[in-house]
Amino acid sequence: MANQNIPYKIYLSESELPRQWYNLRADMKNKPAPLLNPETLQPMTAADLAPVFCEELVAQELDDTTPFIDIPSKIRDYYKMYRPAPLMRAYRLEQALGTPAKIYYKFEGNNTSGSHKLNSAIAQAYYAKKQGLKGVTTETGAGQWGTALSMACAYFGLDCKVYMVKVSYEQKPFRREVMRTYGADVTPSPSDTTAVGRKILAEFPGTGGSLGCAISEAVEAATTREGYRYVLGSVLSQVMLHQSVIGLETKAALDKYDITPDIIIGCAGGGSNLGGLIAPFMGQKLRGEADYRFIAVEPASCPSLTRGKYAYDFCDTGMVCPLAKMYTLGSGFIPAPNHAGGLRYHGMSSVLSQLYDDGLMEARSVEQTAVFAAAEQFARIEGILPAPESSHAIKVAVDEALACKQSGEEKTIVFGLTGTGYFDMTAYERYNNGEMSDYIPTDEDLARGFAGLPQFPGSMN
Ligand SMILES: Cc1ncc(COP(=O)(O)O)c(C=O)c1O
C-alpha cells in the first residue's frame, strides 16, 4: 500500500511548483456577493476600483469565472526561493497524543517574513511594478503582512509605505525594524499624516489603533499620491487566489502518496490562508468529486464566523473602502487585545462567508490560553515555534485527533501551519508567567458592533 512509508516531510520538486493559481469562485454555484460602491450601492466596477488597486489585481478581484490563472514566471521565480513548502507528517505529535489519527501540516513559515503572506505580497508587488507604479501602501496589524510586502517591494524596487497599528508598532519594535531593513517606510496608525487619521485621533485621543483604522489611512495615502496603489494582505478574493498555491501544493503532495484527507483545518483572520489551503479540495467538493470536512478556527475574542452576522459591511473603520458582504462583527467592533493580532479583523473573506453560509464549511472559536497551551505542546513535540495565529489551527487539529482517540477512528487530518512565532515572544512570556486571560465578548458587546452595520434593502440575510 502506497500509504505505508510516508516521510516526515513530503517535498515537491521545483518543477512541481504550481504553474497556475486556482480560482475557487469559478466552481461556486452561489457566487460570493459583489463588492458594492458605498455611495451608489451598485456593484463596484473595474473603473471604480482602478484608483485604489492595480489593474490586474482588479481583474482578478472581479473574476468569478476563470478557474485557472497563469502565475507569471517572475512570480514563480520568486516562489522558487522558498517554495514548494513542505507538507509535514506529525508522527511525533500523533505518538504523544496516542491517537490513531494521521496528522499532516503544511508549513508556510520557511521564509524570512515568517508566514504565508509572502505568497500574495510577491504577486501584488509584481503587478504594481508591471503597471509602472512608484509604490504601494498598506496596513499591518501584527506585522507579518507588512514584513512580507516589504520583502516583495525590495525585490521589485518599489516604494512601500506601511501603516502599522500603533500598539503593534510600540510592542513589536523588531518587526518594525525588519520592515525598515527591507526599505519600507513605517508609520504608527492612527497618525496625523492623513485626514482620516487626524479625524480618528481627534475622536479617540490616545487610541492604540486598529486594523480598520490603518486600512483607512493606507487607502487615503495611496489615492492621494501619484503613482501609488493600495494593497491588502487578506480578505480580498485576489489574495485568496494567490494563496491557492498552499492548497495546490498540499494536494499534489498528498496525491503522491495516495493520501485522502478527512478533515482540513486552518486559522481564519480574513480567510486567505484557509481559503488557499482548502481551495482545490473545496473545488472537488463543489463539483461532487469528493467530500471533506473543513474547519475554520477563529479566536473566541473576535468570532466573526461563529457569532457574526452575514451582512454588507465596511471593510475599514473610516468607511472609505467598498462594502463587502461577509460574516462580520461590524466595522466599529474593536476586539479585546488578543495576542493573535492577525486574527483580529472584524470581517471574513466573502468567498469563505458564502461557503460557510451554504453549510460547506464549519467554524469553531477557541480561547487564547488553550491556543497557547497547544502551541507550547506542539513546539516541544514537533520543534517548530508556531505563530499564535497558526496555533489556533493546531488547537483544533489536536482536539480532532483526541476525538479520534476516543472513537478509535483513523482519520487523516491536515492543517495549515501558517507561520513562526519568533516575534510573538511577549505573548508567550505572558502565557508562561500565567498572566494571559481569555476574553469572550458579551452579546451586548457584539450588539454595539452590529448597530453600526449599514442598513439598506438586501444588506443582510
Ligand atoms: C501567521 C498568520 N497566520 C494567519 C493569519 C490570518 O490571516 P488570513 O486569515 O488572511 O490567513 C495571519 C494574519 O496576519 C498571520 O500572520
Side-chain angles (χ1 to χ4, degrees):
M1 224 185 102
N3 223 331
Q4 252 151 21
N5 289 315
I6 314 285
Y8 272 73
K9 296 190 201 79
I10 307 180
Y11 277 117
L12 298 176
S13 68
E14 205 168 277
S15 62
E16 291 170 293
L17 184 73
R19 291 179 184 278
Q20 295 178 310
W21 290 302
Y22 168 56
N23 183 8
L24 178 61
R25 287 168 288 166
D27 281 311
M28 289 170 69
K29 261 195 244 84
N30 294 336
K31 304 286 183 199
L35 293 172
L36 296 186
N37 183 318
E39 273 154 38
T40 62
L41 299 181
Q42 293 303 305
M44 293 292 280
T45 62
D48 290 332
L49 290 168
V52 182
F53 298 116
C54 306
E55 280 158 22
E56 289 215 35
L57 294 169
V58 168
Q60 291 178 0
E61 192 61 34
L62 298 178
D63 188 342
D64 277 353
T65 51
T66 312
F68 290 97
I69 294 175
D70 286 345
I71 305 176
S73 62
K74 281 197 174 149
I75 297 178
R76 283 190 85 240
D77 287 348
Y78 194 98
Y79 280 173
K80 283 178 197 163
M81 289 169 27
Y82 68 99
R83 310 197 68 83
L87 180 70
M88 316 285 290
R89 173 76 185 265
Y91 280 118
R92 283 178 42 83
L93 181 63
E94 291 167 17
Q95 215 174 26
L97 297 174
T99 176
K102 297 174 178 58
I103 308 175
Y104 295 85
Y105 55 95
K106 178 72 167 167
F107 182 46
E108 289 289 324
N110 259 337
N111 66 77
T112 300
S113 73
S115 81
H116 67 294
K117 300 275 171 176
L118 193 56
N119 301 331
S120 186
I122 200 68
Q124 298 196 45
Y126 166 81
Y127 289 117
K129 187 71 183 176
K130 190 170 165 224
Q131 195 176 323
L133 298 175
K134 284 188 212 143
V136 290
T137 70
T138 198
E139 77 296 325
T140 197
Q144 288 95 334
W145 165 246
T147 313
L149 189 69
S150 307
M151 283 177 71
C153 286
Y155 187 72
F156 285 115
L158 277 173
D159 187 32
C160 179
K161 295 194 188 308
V162 181
Y163 285 85
M164 185 171 188
V165 176
K166 196 188 254 162
V167 279
S168 302
Y169 183 90
E170 285 159 3
Q171 283 172 4
K172 298 195 171 185
F174 295 133
R175 261 265 176 238
R176 183 182 78 209
E177 268 346 285
V178 177
M179 287 185 251
R180 293 190 346 137
T181 301
Y182 282 101
D185 171 28
V186 189
T187 307
S189 168
S191 74
D192 60 6
T193 64
T194 62
V196 65
R198 288 190 289 275
K199 186 167 166 252
I200 293 168
L201 280 175
E203 222 173 306
F204 307 99
T207 174
S210 72
L211 214 45
C213 291
I215 295 177
S216 307
E217 287 208 273
V219 171
E220 182 182 323
T223 49
T224 51
R225 266 186 188 79
E226 183 69 31
Y228 281 76
R229 291 293 184 281
Y230 166 68
V231 294
L232 179 62
S234 186
V235 188
L236 296 175
S237 302
Q238 58 184 271
V239 183
M240 194 175 135
L241 173 75
H242 306 147
Q243 295 296 358
S244 67
V245 288
I246 304 174
L248 292 165
E249 285 182 10
T250 301
K251 184 152 191 324
L254 292 172
D255 286 351
K256 269 196 173 186
Y257 290 89
D258 289 337
I259 304 162
T260 307
D262 296 293
I263 311 175
I264 304 176
I265 300 167
C267 65
S272 74
N273 86 82
L274 176 67
L277 173 66
I278 69 174
F281 303 97
M282 182 62 89
Q284 286 184 300
K285 181 163 172 151
L286 290 168
R287 295 189 301 271
E289 298 165 5
D291 197 12
Y292 307 99
R293 274 180 68 201
F294 302 102
I295 309 178
V297 191
E298 58 186 14
S301 59
C302 192
S304 47
L305 284 171
T306 49
R307 294 177 68 199
K309 287 204 189 310
Y310 191 31
Y312 267 105
D313 193 12
F314 292 96
C315 297
D316 62 324
T317 314
M319 304 181 180
V320 295
C321 290
L323 294 168
K325 188 167 180 199
M326 55 187 176
Y327 273 84
T328 179
L329 299 168
S331 63
F333 177 78
I334 308 268
N338 182 290
H339 285 288
L343 305 184
R344 293 184 70 225
Y345 187 65
H346 64 273
M348 184 57 63
S349 138
S350 54
V351 177
L352 291 189
S353 292
Q354 184 63 50
L355 294 168
Y356 180 61
D357 203 59
D358 287 339
L360 293 160
M361 184 181 84
E362 302 164 36
R364 210 171 286 177
S365 74
V366 287
E367 291 171 33
Q368 68 171 346
T369 50
V371 166
F372 275 82
E376 291 204 346
Q377 179 185 29
F378 184 82
R380 291 173 198 180
I381 296 169
E382 288 288 315
I384 294 173
L385 177 69
E389 291 83 359
S390 324
S391 305
H392 286 66
I394 296 175
K395 163 73 181 128
V396 170
V398 166
D399 287 350
E400 287 296 324
L402 291 175
C404 288
K405 186 176 175 177
Q406 286 281 321
S407 65
E409 287 171 288
E410 287 184 32
K411 287 188 185 157
T412 297
I413 299 169
V414 174
F415 72 91
L417 189 68
T418 50
T420 47
Y422 300 111
F423 290 102
D424 297 287
M425 296 324 290
T426 316
Y428 276 95
E429 182 186 27
R430 296 207 64 179
Y431 178 73
N432 291 332
N433 288 345
E435 292 161 4
M436 186 177 277
S437 52
D438 292 323
Y439 181 77
I440 302 179
T442 62
D443 288 344
E444 291 72 46
D445 294 334
L446 296 187
R448 278 193 291 279
F450 296 144
L453 288 173
Q455 304 282 337
F456 54 90
S459 66
M460 209 175 282
N461 262 17

